[in-house]
Amino acid sequence: MSPVIKVHDRFFEPFILSDAIEKRVKQMAAEISATYEDKNPLFLAVLNGAFILAADLLREINFQSEISFVKISSYEGTQSTENIKELIGFTENLRGRHVIIVEDIIDTGLSMQHILKQVNSHSPASIKIATLLLKREALQYPIEADYIGFDIEQKFVLGYGLDYDGLGRNLRHIFVEKRP
Ligand code: IMP
Ligand code: MG
């Protein structure tokens, strides 16, 4: 088991180990396969956090499918409360496509709400959400994820794509903040 690590000013301990993640990602891929095998779905992975999940998940998918990447850019408005988010990187024509959004984590659900709104405006045939982590108790928006890796408590985590101020995305395991 990996030891406690320090990232910037905070301490983290192992939380979900890579073996468990790998097993769960395979199960998620199997669930997705059962529904999408003959639909040529378009996986839409949300950068930066979902890059590792997308790579692992897609390699477990053994049917015709496509993948594309989008990113949320935040613009701080004139008021501090104003925070307009735009989805960048759309190149695919989503009309009539079966879209599966791939995210690393859903916390309050605000980001996913923005993503859904914008994906919806491109008239896809269907939209589903696959997220590795869900902080169900932190949800403030009516988001229903269809494929969930792990439902976790409201604690800060990093690793397997998730960062703390830019660091930790490359960690193989998911770590959780250690509180004294
Ligand atoms: P939401 O919009 O509140 O659902 O937050 C989603 C985004 O916040 C994620 O895509 C992450 O970038 C970030 N986030 C939320 N919780 C964590 C965490 O525990 N660790 C790292 N990033 C997080
Ligand atoms: Mg993210």
Side-chain angles (χ1 to χ4, degrees):
M1 172 100 68
S2 317
V4 170
I5 56 167
K6 187 179 183 205
V7 177
H8 293 301
D9 54 333
R10 289 151 82 171
F11 291 89
F12 295 85
E13 59 189 350
F15 179 44
I16 308 174
L17 300 186
S18 61
D19 283 357
I21 300 170
E22 189 184 327
K23 203 172 150 196
R24 189 72 192 109
V25 169
K26 283 182 177 165
Q27 289 170 346
M28 290 171 78
E31 286 173 41
I32 291 169
S33 301
T35 306
Y36 286 96
E37 213 151 17
D38 51 357
K39 293 196 166 75
N40 185 24
L42 174 66
F43 291 91
L44 214 52
V46 185
L47 295 174
N48 293 326
F51 80 112
I52 292 184
L53 172 64
D56 284 351
L57 184 70
L58 267 289
R59 282 179 292 178
E60 298 296 332
I61 297 290
N62 299 311
F63 56 85
Q64 183 179 300
S65 62
E66 295 172 39
I67 182 157
S68 190
F69 298 87
V70 290
K71 187 166 184 159
I72 299 171
S73 69
S74 308
Y75 297 106
E76 293 301 331
T78 46
Q79 293 175 359
S80 60
T81 50
E82 202 177 327
N83 191 3
I84 304 157
K85 289 181 175 175
E86 191 196 1
L87 209 54
I88 55 174
F90 263 127
T91 51
E92 265 62 35
N93 183 1
L94 301 189
R95 180 173 293 276
R97 296 299 303 272
H98 294 282
V99 174
I100 304 165
I101 299 167
V102 180
E103 250 292 28
D104 53 353
I105 189 165
I106 297 174
D107 186 6
T108 64
L110 177 64
S111 306
M112 189 53 74
Q113 173 153 294
H114 281 289
I115 294 164
L116 281 175
K117 197 172 158 191
Q118 295 193 43
V119 171
N120 243 318
S121 72
H122 287 80
S123 311
S126 69
I127 307 176
K128 282 196 181 178
I129 300 169
T131 185
L132 183 68
L133 304 173
L134 171 69
K135 293 183 185 172
R136 198 181 292 278
E137 284 158 24
L139 265 184
Q140 291 174 27
Y141 299 86
I143 302 297
E144 285 182 29
D146 302 278
Y147 305 100
I148 300 162
F150 302 92
D151 201 338
I152 64 167
E153 318 170 50
Q154 282 190 58
K155 286 183 179 171
F156 193 79
V157 293
L158 89 164
Y160 198 78
L162 292 142
D163 73 309
Y164 168 38
D165 207 4
L167 298 182
R169 293 193 195 276
N170 56 313
L171 295 165
R172 302 184 75 89
H173 310 295
I174 294 174
F175 288 74
V176 65
E177 186 169 18
K178 192 173 158 65
R179 294 276 186 194

